[in-house]
């Protein structure tokens, strides 16, 4: 049959051998542009039509589902077709492409950078061959004729290769990367070997090439027209992700020249540690899919640059190319900007997991050729990049046979790669025995387990020899801190383990970007929004940046946690610790500022010496000014000069310390650091376990008013129910205990239990308030209530004590007492109130400027901030709890001022509205503003894929006391 190749195990036919990606000065013609296109529902039919003038036009590169032909579909693990390898469904969308062009030469090479998932090619009616391996290049030799040439390409959505491409992403199809016609090259391939000896400072350069008489020129090294083979040993500046030094080079042969860039570096696993240029490296990494909300996996250079510059500005130093090789231009940019890269093969068979790994290609000898083909095409294409320090065999493809003599295609890939390129270590997470790789890799291991692994005290393997081998390997978390929705929480605990244990060499957050498509109705679309038969919902929106590449609060938190400089501030001194792997601090400038209740009162420059990697320096600070209110000292480290990825003045790191409390006499020192303050504030004010918080309440005035109302200080209450009606002239409603938050993705998911399921089972989303009594005692209005859900006997007893203060304020002390069995953490503990819709701007003094929670609070700093109610919201693709500012000392909302120590959330819709919404467009502002003043909130964790909230950030239902003061805003 014409379509037999669709179910063939072999990876292709008629292709040229794989080789490096490079540009020469030889003739070339880009075939990108408008092609004729026809989509058919099946793979049947005549593949080459004589007349295609009536066909539609489609841009190349692009993905046809995003051009109006079919729709995207998202699954994480499951194949969207029956699992019967190598067969695929009869319903197999097939796109026929045609292009007419005039050739500038007679013989050449036709190069496809990426076609999903299987394609066959004809030139002038003559079949050239076919290929699979969607995110890998395919080349064909061509003979061209003068004048008009017709290129025909038939692309199938499904093929046997689809079983090897079950990555967690949208299923999309088409010619999605560049197509180029090249004159037959003289320099067909080359392999640059550029090692660095950190002991001598010398580099050794040799270039393998099959081109006869090839010469090499590297002007900066004094090499001009020398034989390419070398080797040449000479002093060089090494390449690293921190100092990406590149040398321009030229390779010439037979009248053709190739320009490329060389980075000298040596990667080795020594003493159980990954070292580059003789030093241990720490990966502050992200997993990166190729994605754009309008073009899918078709990316232009501007988007690639935007990604890398954003990563560098947020202290990211490493990328795992999950789960396939990226566009080759991205790797050139990684060389240029400086990023460590784990280059991962285009391989994942995760869909065999739901069927018990039966028939998994990793253990089937018939699939060995496509496994090796994919590994070879990646290594050969990308071998000359200094940024690539590790090869990865693929992702979530199970294991080969464990039986003696059984098939293990992954091991075969490793053996081939190690022989072809012994200069880079190998990675594969899927086999925890780690018998044929050079590092122990895991996904989503909890903090306790990572600690044990760091001590080399992990659970032993059954095979003593394998166990000894694995314990001697470095450890990398190839995925951790699942960045889905509001989160991830608990980043700092992992980072401390990376610093504590030499073996733990960092990790890669899953993942870089939310894969939400632009959608007219939903704003951003996710799985299921296109009517897919099978889908995994919004699990595809799990990035550190939103689909439009706006940084999420998670990325801001990650930047702070992974700072390459630690700034520890006290009232007398600042200690600066250089956490870079290679670079001293001479590229940074340090400044300090003193703020009294958020207003700067003094500032200056700190002279920090050129402190080397892993070294610290402690410096005295100038005398601080006398202040009366709460005062904080902040020290910033910023770029002294512009870098390709950020301007001068861009902040790299900071530290903060409270040097005076609000009640301290001038000259007294509180001595709390920003981190300690953030943690303490989270624990007492809206983000962590409930603790007692007291504020002095003085003076009362009380009297009845007309209409069954009762006045207490500036507050007016309903005399029958004790509910506040107005405070300082501002209408208020529903001021009462609140235990509910709209669940986050991490609340909604989890193994084995989803905490949001517990909350709903307990009825925390549908609480009833029963008044127990209203007592007017001397100077106080005391309101007691019982808060419980229908069908439940557990309850929370709440006592509201209202009194007037001596300075015109209204004090509230809320005491809560759980009744019955509460064997689970609660979402929040605090007060909810409704204010008029006219409230538009919120000003506060406390932690900010962005949202923060108890286990995601490192990036929050104490200051004075102001935002509109709309800007306080975080637009997660799937609506959920967001916008919480902890550690607030005071806030002004319209004409109302609130004082105390609390967590603040303000929005134009209720928590119930937020809970019910499935897309941002579901959130419709009400004619009111809803305010939460929290004593505490449950932490975030990363249970959407990984560990839940650490115990220290759980919010148990325990007796608690919470105090606030309300007054008119001046």
């Amino acid at each position: 049959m014409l379509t037999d190749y669709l179910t063939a195990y072999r990876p292709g036919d008629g292709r040229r051998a794989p080789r490096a990606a490079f540009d020469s000065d030889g003739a070339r013609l880009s075939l990108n542009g408008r092609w004729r296109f026809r989509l058919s529902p099946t793979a049947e039919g005549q593949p080459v039509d004589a007349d295609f003038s009536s066909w539609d036009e489609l841009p190349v590169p692009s993905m046809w589902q995003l051009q109006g032909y079919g729709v995207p579909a998202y699954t994480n693990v499951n194949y969207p077709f029956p699992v019967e390898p190598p067969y695929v469904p009869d319903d197999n969308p097939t796109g026929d492409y045609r292009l007419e062009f005039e050739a500038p030469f007679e013989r050449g090479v036709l190069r496809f950078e990426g076609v999903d998932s299987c394609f066959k090619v004809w030139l002038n009616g003559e079949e050239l061959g076919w290929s699979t391996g969607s995110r890998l290049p395919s080349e064909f030799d061509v003979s061209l004729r003068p004048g008009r040439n017709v290129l025909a390409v038939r692309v199938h959505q499904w093929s046997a290769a689809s079983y090897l491409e079950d990555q967690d992403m949208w299923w999309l199809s088409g010619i999605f990367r560049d197509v180029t016609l090249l004159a037959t090259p003289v320099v067909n391939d080359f392999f640059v070997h550029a090692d660095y000896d950190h002991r001598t400072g010398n580099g050794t350069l040799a270039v393998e090439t099959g081109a006869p008489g090839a010469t090499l020129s590297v002007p900066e090294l004094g090499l001009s027209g020398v034989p390419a083979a070398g080797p040449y040993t000479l002093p060089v500046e090494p390449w690293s992700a921190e100092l990406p030094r590149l040398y321009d080079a030229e390779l010439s042969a037979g009248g053709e020249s190739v320009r490329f860039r060389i980075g000298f570096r040596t990667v080795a696993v020594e003493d159980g540690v990954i070292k580059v240029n003789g030093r241990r490296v720490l990966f502050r990494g992200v997993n990166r899919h190729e994605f754009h909300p309008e073009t899918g996996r078709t990316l232009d250079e501007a988007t690639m640059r935007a990604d890398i510059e954003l990563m560098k500005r947020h202290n990211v130093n490493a990328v795992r190319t999950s789960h396939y090789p990226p566009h080759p231009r991205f790797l050139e940019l990684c060389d240029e900007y400086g990023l460590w890269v784990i280059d991962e093969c285009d391989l994942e068979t995760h869909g065999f997991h739901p069927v018990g790994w039966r028939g998994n290609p990793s253990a089937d000898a018939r699939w060995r050729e496509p496994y090796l083909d994919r590994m070879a095409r990646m290594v050969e294409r990308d071998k000359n990049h200094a940024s690539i320090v590790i090869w990865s065999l693929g992702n979530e493809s199970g294991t080969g046979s464990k039986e003696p003599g059984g098939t293990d295609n992954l091991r075969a890939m490793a053996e081939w790669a190690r022989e072809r390129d012994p200069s880079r270590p190998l990675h594969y997470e899927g086999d925890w025995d780690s018998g044929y790789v050079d590092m122990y890799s895991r996904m989503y291991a909890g903090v306790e387990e990572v600690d044990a692994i760091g001590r080399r005290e992990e659970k032993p393997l059954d095979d003593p020899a394998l166990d000894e081998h694995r314990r001697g390997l470095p450890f990398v978390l190839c995925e951790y801190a699942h960045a889905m929705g509001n989160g991830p929480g608990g980043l700092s605990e992992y980072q401390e383990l990376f610093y504590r244990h030499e073996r733990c060499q960092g990790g890669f957050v899953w993942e870089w970007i939310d894969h939400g498509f632009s959608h007219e109705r939903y704003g951003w679309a996710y799985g299921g929004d296109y009517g897919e038969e099978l889908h995994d919902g919004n699990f595809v929106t799990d990035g550190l940046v939103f689909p439009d590449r706006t940084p999420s609060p998670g990325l801001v938190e990650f930047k702070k946690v992974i700072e390459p400089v630690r700034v520890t501030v006290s009232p007398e001194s600042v200690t600066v610790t250089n956490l870079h792997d290679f670079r001293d601090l001479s590229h940074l400038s340090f400044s300090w500022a003193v703020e009294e209740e958020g207003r700067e009162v003094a500032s200056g420059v700190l002279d920090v010496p050129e402190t080397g990697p892993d070294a610290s320096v402690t410096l005295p600070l100038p005398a601080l000014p006398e202040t009366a209110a709460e005062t904080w000292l902040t020290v910033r480290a910023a770029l002294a000069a512009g870098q390709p990825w950020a301007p001068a003045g861009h902040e790299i790191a900071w530290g903060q310390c409270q040097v005076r409390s609000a009640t301290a006499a001038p000259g007294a020192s509180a001595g709390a650091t920003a981190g300690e303050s953030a943690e303490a504030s989270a624990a007492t004010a809206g983000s962590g376990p409930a603790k007692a918080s007291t504020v002095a309440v003085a003076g009362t005035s009380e009297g009845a008013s007309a209409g069954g109302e009762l006045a207490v200080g500036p507050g007016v209450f309903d005399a029958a129910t004790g509910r506040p009606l107005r405070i300082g002239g501002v209408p208020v409603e529903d001021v009462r205990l609140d235990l509910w938050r709209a669940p986050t993705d991490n609340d909604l998911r989890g193994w084995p239990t989803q905490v949001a399921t517990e909350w709903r089972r307990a009825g925390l989303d549908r609480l009833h308030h029963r008044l127990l009594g209203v007592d007017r005692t001397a100077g106080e209005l005391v309101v007691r209530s019982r808060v419980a859900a229908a069908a439940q006997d557990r309850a929370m007893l709440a006592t509201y004590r209202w009194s007037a203060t001596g300075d015109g304020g209204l004090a509230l002390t809320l005491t809560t007492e759980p009744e019955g069995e509460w064997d689970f953490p609660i979402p929040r503990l605090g007060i909810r109130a409704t204010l008029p819709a006219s409230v538009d701007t919120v000003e506060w003094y406390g932690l900010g400027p962005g949202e923060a929670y108890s286990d995601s609070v490192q990036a929050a700093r104490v200051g004075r901030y102001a935002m509109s109610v709309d800007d306080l919201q975080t637009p997660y693709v799937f609506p959920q709890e967001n916008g919480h500012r902890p550690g607030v000392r005071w806030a002004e909302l319209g004409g109302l001022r609130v004082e105390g120590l609390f967590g603040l959330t303000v929005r134009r819709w209720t928590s119930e509205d937020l809970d019910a919404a499935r897309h941002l467009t579901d959130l419709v502002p009400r004619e009111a503003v809803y305010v939460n003043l929290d004593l505490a909130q449950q932490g975030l964790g990363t249970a959407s894929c990984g560990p839940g909230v650490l115990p220290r950030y759980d919010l148990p239902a325990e007796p608690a006391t919470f105090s606030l003061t309300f007054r008119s805003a001046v």
Side-chain angles (χ1 to χ4, degrees):
M1 293 177 62
L2 292 173
T3 58
D4 283 351
Y5 61 95
L6 289 178
T7 56
Y9 290 101
R10 67 185 190 280
D13 191 37
R15 303 172 305 174
R16 302 179 92 241
R19 63 190 183 115
F22 59 88
D23 292 333
S24 76
D25 61 1
R28 60 190 296 117
L29 176 67
S30 171
L31 299 183
N32 293 350
R34 306 292 296 185
W35 290 44
R36 293 290 185 176
F37 179 76
R38 177 186 66 183
L39 184 67
S40 302
T42 71
E44 301 304 320
Q46 179 62 32
V48 179
D49 288 61
D51 182 11
F52 49 86
S53 59
S54 63
W55 291 12
D56 297 339
E57 287 191 346
L58 192 76
V60 170
S62 70
M63 315 209 81
W64 71 56
Q65 289 88 350
L66 303 180
Q67 300 294 324
Y69 299 90
V71 294
Y74 167 63
T75 62
N76 169 28
V77 175
N78 294 301
Y79 292 111
F81 46 77
V83 181
E84 49 170 347
Y87 302 105
V88 295
D90 294 336
D91 296 330
N92 189 356
T94 295
D96 286 308
Y97 293 77
R98 299 292 184 274
L99 179 69
E100 293 182 282
F101 65 94
E102 292 192 5
F105 38 77
E106 294 182 358
R107 299 187 63 80
V109 174
L110 179 63
R111 183 177 180 91
F112 294 86
E113 296 291 353
V115 183
D116 195 325
S117 73
C118 174
F119 69 106
K120 183 175 281 193
V121 188
W122 296 260
L123 180 63
N124 299 323
E126 179 182 348
E127 182 178 320
L128 301 180
W130 62 273
S131 187
T132 58
S134 298
R135 285 149 285 275
L136 293 160
S138 301
E139 290 187 328
F140 303 90
D141 288 317
V142 294
S143 296
L144 302 156
R145 63 191 184 193
R148 176 179 178 268
N149 289 262
V150 179
L151 179 62
V153 183
R154 169 160 264 221
V155 181
H156 308 278
Q157 180 163 5
W158 309 123
S159 66
S162 300
Y163 287 100
L164 306 184
E165 297 178 1
D166 188 31
Q167 293 93 337
D168 175 12
M169 61 186 182
W170 292 96
W171 295 93
L172 298 167
S173 316
I175 304 174
F176 71 96
R177 288 185 186 161
D178 307 285
V179 183
T180 309
L181 186 64
L182 310 167
T184 301
V186 176
V187 179
N188 184 65
D189 192 15
F190 62 96
F191 193 170
V192 177
H193 303 279
D195 298 325
Y196 178 73
D197 187 335
H198 64 280
R199 295 160 297 188
T200 64
N202 288 334
T204 300
L205 176 62
V207 180
E208 291 181 45
T209 177
T215 61
L216 175 67
S217 297
V218 188
E220 286 187 271
L221 298 179
L223 299 178
S224 178
V226 299
Y232 304 97
T233 299
L234 60 175
V236 298
E237 297 175 47
W239 186 97
S240 70
E242 295 168 4
L243 294 165
R245 178 67 161 96
L246 294 172
Y247 291 86
D248 292 322
E250 183 174 274
L251 184 65
S252 299
E256 182 181 80
S257 295
V258 176
R259 286 187 169 86
F260 58 100
R261 308 185 81 182
I262 298 171
F264 289 88
R265 55 108 187 95
T266 297
V267 188
V269 175
E270 296 176 351
D271 305 318
V273 176
I274 301 169
K275 296 181 180 180
V276 178
N277 299 336
R279 292 187 59 85
R280 171 188 183 262
V281 295
L282 182 62
F283 298 120
R284 301 170 169 92
V286 295
N287 285 276
R288 175 188 177 268
H289 267 293
E290 293 184 305
F291 182 78
H292 189 281
E294 295 175 353
T295 60
R297 284 187 290 281
T298 298
L299 300 186
D300 59 12
E301 182 173 329
T303 301
M304 299 178 207
R305 284 188 182 272
D307 276 346
I308 292 175
E309 290 173 4
L310 198 57
M311 290 175 190
K312 296 286 286 188
R313 289 198 294 269
H314 286 84
N315 294 329
V316 172
N317 73 353
V319 171
R320 175 177 174 230
T321 68
S322 53
H323 297 291
Y324 45 82
H327 191 288
R329 182 59 180 149
F330 180 79
L331 297 173
E332 294 176 350
L333 295 173
C334 291
D335 294 341
E336 175 185 327
Y337 283 93
L339 286 171
W340 307 118
V341 175
I342 297 181
D343 198 9
E344 191 151 88
C345 193
D346 190 6
L347 174 65
E348 181 166 336
T349 66
H350 206 174
F352 286 90
H353 176 264
V355 297
W357 293 108
R358 292 186 300 275
N360 184 27
S362 296
D364 187 334
R366 292 173 296 180
W367 292 94
R368 175 163 294 191
E369 183 183 357
Y371 270 58
L372 291 173
D373 174 78
R374 287 166 183 256
M375 194 68 189
R377 286 159 69 191
M378 176 183 71
V379 170
E380 297 295 358
R381 191 197 75 164
D382 298 340
K383 60 198 172 194
N384 294 326
H385 291 287
S387 57
I388 298 173
V389 292
I390 296 169
W391 298 121
S392 177
L393 307 181
N395 185 66
E396 292 175 323
S397 295
T399 63
S401 171
K402 300 295 185 181
E403 301 299 323
T407 297
D408 191 339
N409 294 327
L410 291 156
R411 180 181 292 275
M413 294 170 73
E415 291 171 349
W416 181 92
R418 186 168 282 111
E419 180 176 354
R420 177 61 175 138
D421 179 26
S423 72
R424 292 177 174 98
L426 300 177
H427 165 272
Y428 177 65
E429 185 273 342
D431 188 351
W432 292 2
D433 291 354
S434 306
Y436 45 79
V437 292
D438 299 302
M439 62 203 68
Y440 180 26
S441 176
R442 289 287 303 281
M443 296 179 181
Y444 309 108
V447 169
E448 289 186 4
E449 184 179 5
V450 172
D451 189 24
I453 292 171
R455 300 192 307 269
R456 302 188 190 271
E457 295 175 1
E458 66 265 30
K459 182 180 178 180
L461 297 172
D462 293 336
D463 185 325
L466 272 177
D467 185 66
E468 182 181 4
H469 167 74
R470 195 182 72 177
R471 286 181 198 277
L473 296 178
F475 177 73
V476 173
L477 276 167
C478 69
E479 293 179 23
Y480 81 115
H482 195 248
M484 186 177 184
N486 191 344
L491 285 169
S492 57
E493 282 76 12
Y494 281 106
Q495 198 68 21
E496 286 306 310
L497 293 177
F498 301 157
Y499 294 141
R500 182 186 309 163
H501 300 302
E502 184 183 50
R503 182 190 192 188
C504 295
Q505 297 196 241
F508 297 78
V509 170
W510 186 268
E511 65 158 300
W512 175 243
I513 188 169
D514 284 341
H515 298 199
F517 282 125
S518 300
H519 195 282
E520 183 177 359
R521 177 180 175 185
Y522 299 129
W524 301 120
Y526 50 76
D529 287 339
Y530 297 98
E532 302 101 303
E533 172 191 4
L534 192 68
H535 66 85
D536 285 295
N538 68 310
F539 203 69
V540 76
T541 55
D542 48 11
L544 290 169
V545 299
F546 297 127
D548 62 359
R549 287 176 162 75
T550 299
S552 76
L555 180 58
V556 177
E557 177 78 359
F558 190 46
K559 175 187 177 180
K560 175 62 180 169
V561 169
I562 63 172
E563 288 172 337
V565 178
R566 179 177 289 166
V567 181
T568 306
V569 189
S570 77
E572 296 80 25
S573 64
V574 57
T575 298
V576 179
T577 303
N578 185 0
L579 300 173
H580 287 92
D581 296 323
F582 298 93
R583 196 169 196 178
D584 65 28
L585 299 182
S586 60
H587 66 295
L588 300 177
S589 62
F590 292 80
S591 61
W592 59 268
V594 176
E595 292 180 324
E596 181 180 15
E597 201 168 294
R599 299 193 186 280
E600 186 175 299
V601 295
S603 63
V605 174
L606 195 65
D607 187 14
V608 177
E610 296 181 4
T611 308
D614 298 327
S616 296
V617 60
T618 299
L619 303 167
L621 288 174
L624 303 179
E626 297 294 331
T627 54
E630 180 176 296
T631 303
W632 286 77
L633 170 65
T634 304
V635 176
R636 300 173 62 248
L639 291 177
Q643 298 290 320
W645 42 272
H650 169 76
E651 185 177 273
I652 298 296
W654 60 273
Q656 194 178 51
C657 171
Q658 184 179 350
V659 295
R660 200 156 292 129
S661 66
T663 57
S669 174
T673 68
E676 290 168 347
S677 169
E679 197 166 304
S681 298
T684 62
S687 291
K691 304 291 176 70
S693 175
T694 60
V695 174
V697 180
T700 63
S701 65
E702 176 183 330
S705 64
E709 295 180 349
L710 180 69
V712 179
V716 177
F717 296 78
D718 183 291
T721 65
R723 287 190 177 183
L725 303 175
R726 295 181 299 280
I727 300 177
V730 178
V732 296
E733 298 178 22
D734 299 325
V735 181
R736 59 188 185 180
L737 178 68
D738 192 12
L739 305 179
W740 179 247
R741 77 180 185 195
T744 67
D745 283 311
N746 291 312
D747 297 334
L748 290 166
R749 300 171 182 267
W751 307 319
T753 302
Q754 298 79 37
V755 66
T757 301
E758 295 287 341
W759 295 344
R760 293 191 199 280
R761 187 178 295 124
L764 299 188
D765 58 334
R766 47 181 178 82
L767 293 172
H768 297 269
H769 297 251
R770 183 170 68 85
L771 183 64
L772 299 179
V774 178
D775 301 316
R776 280 173 274 176
T777 62
E780 280 190 334
L781 173 66
V782 180
V783 181
R784 294 174 292 108
S785 68
R786 185 178 189 270
V787 183
Q792 299 290 329
D793 62 354
R794 69 170 62 88
M796 191 71 74
L797 301 178
T799 301
Y800 307 81
R801 296 183 180 274
W802 299 93
S803 61
T805 67
D807 57 356
L810 175 66
L812 167 65
T813 298
L814 171 64
T815 303
T816 60
E817 180 78 30
E819 181 182 88
E821 185 178 356
W822 294 77
D823 55 355
F824 53 88
I826 59 178
R828 78 181 336 137
L829 181 65
I831 294 169
R832 171 173 166 176
T834 304
L835 298 182
S838 58
V839 174
D840 183 64
T841 300
V842 179
E843 184 175 1
W844 78 96
Y845 173 57
L847 289 171
E851 71 181 27
Y853 296 80
S854 60
D855 57 354
S856 182
V857 72
Q858 300 303 314
R861 65 184 93 183
V862 175
R864 185 188 295 246
Y865 306 101
M867 286 187 188
S868 70
V869 173
D870 293 339
D871 288 342
L872 286 168
Q873 315 310 308
T874 302
Y876 293 110
V877 172
F878 185 89
Q880 56 198 275
E881 159 63 32
N882 72 89
H884 176 256
R885 271 71 178 180
V888 175
R889 280 74 164 159
W890 58 257
E892 294 186 357
L893 307 96
L896 183 65
R897 180 180 173 97
V898 187
E899 298 170 350
L901 188 60
F902 55 93
L904 175 69
T905 308
V906 186
R907 53 176 66 107
R908 296 193 182 279
W909 37 76
T910 67
S911 295
E912 290 75 19
D913 294 336
L914 198 56
D915 185 14
R918 293 297 173 264
H919 295 87
L920 289 171
T921 50
D922 295 334
L923 292 171
V924 179
R926 290 176 178 258
E927 292 300 317
V929 166
Y930 301 90
V931 179
N932 278 94
L933 308 171
D934 290 332
L935 171 61
Q937 262 203 60
Q938 170 77 351
L940 299 175
T942 181
S944 56
C945 189
V949 176
L950 292 172
R952 64 182 292 193
Y953 302 117
D954 273 337
L955 175 55
E958 296 177 344
T961 301
F962 183 29
S963 296
L964 299 169
T965 299
F966 301 85
R967 65 179 76 248
S968 295
V970 178

